[in-house]
Amino acid sequence: MTTIFHKIIQREIPADIVFEDDHIIAFRDIAPQAPVHVLFVPKQDFATLNDVPADAPEIVGRLAIAAARYAKERGFAEDGYRIVMNCNAHGGQTVFQIHLHLLAGAQLGRFGTPAA
Ligand code: AMP
């Protein structure tokens, strides 16, 4: 399935890209939920976390490691940050190409409560 993130990877639509290598791309979220809000997206096509094969943990691992490296490079790793992957309806997933949210830059509130 082609999503808006595939179009960003293919440079069909613009994004504020902060990191890219052979495996992943990272760009700023268009509707930030924290002072720092970056999305880390694999270039391989997986709609949800449920679709990542059990024998391919590197798909997800690369996202988390890249987020931690970005936090260290930008100087907020010690203050801290949150990484989040939403899956399907109850998780609030809206773009069906897996991605990891990196949220930082302020004290973050609690999370995980049912939507009002
Ligand atoms: P999720 O709800 O976990 O699927 O997250 C999708 C995220 O993608 C949301 O936080 C959106 O704000 C973000 N988003 C949607 N379109 C774009 C875009 N064109 N550029 C950057 N971020 C986007």
Side-chain angles (χ1 to χ4, degrees):
M1 184 170 66
T2 297
T3 69
I4 200 152
F5 292 172
H6 293 93
K7 291 180 178 169
I8 289 171
I9 292 167
Q10 298 299 329
R11 303 298 200 275
E12 291 171 13
I13 63 167
D16 188 355
I17 296 168
V18 300
F19 174 77
E20 183 170 21
D21 66 13
D22 289 345
H23 302 289
I24 72 175
I25 190 167
F27 49 89
R28 291 183 206 285
D29 197 292
I30 204 167
Q33 302 299 307
V36 176
H37 188 171
V38 176
L39 302 173
F40 292 79
V41 184
K43 292 183 177 179
Q44 272 181 278
D45 195 3
F46 299 105
T48 81
L49 188 57
N50 295 335
D51 302 304
V52 178
D55 64 354
E58 70 278 7
I59 301 295
V60 177
R62 284 192 191 106
L63 304 180
I65 297 300
R69 192 171 58 218
Y70 181 83
K72 288 175 199 160
E73 288 171 359
R74 299 297 168 114
F76 59 83
E78 294 305 320
D79 283 341
Y81 53 89
R82 180 174 295 158
I83 62 173
V84 176
M85 293 184 78
N86 297 323
C87 183
N88 280 337
H90 281 190
Q93 186 174 4
T94 59
V95 177
F96 287 86
Q97 164 66 1
I98 63 163
H99 51 279
L100 178 145
H101 296 254
L102 170 64
L103 301 151
Q107 180 63 58
L108 301 174
R110 298 294 300 168
F111 69 101
T113 52

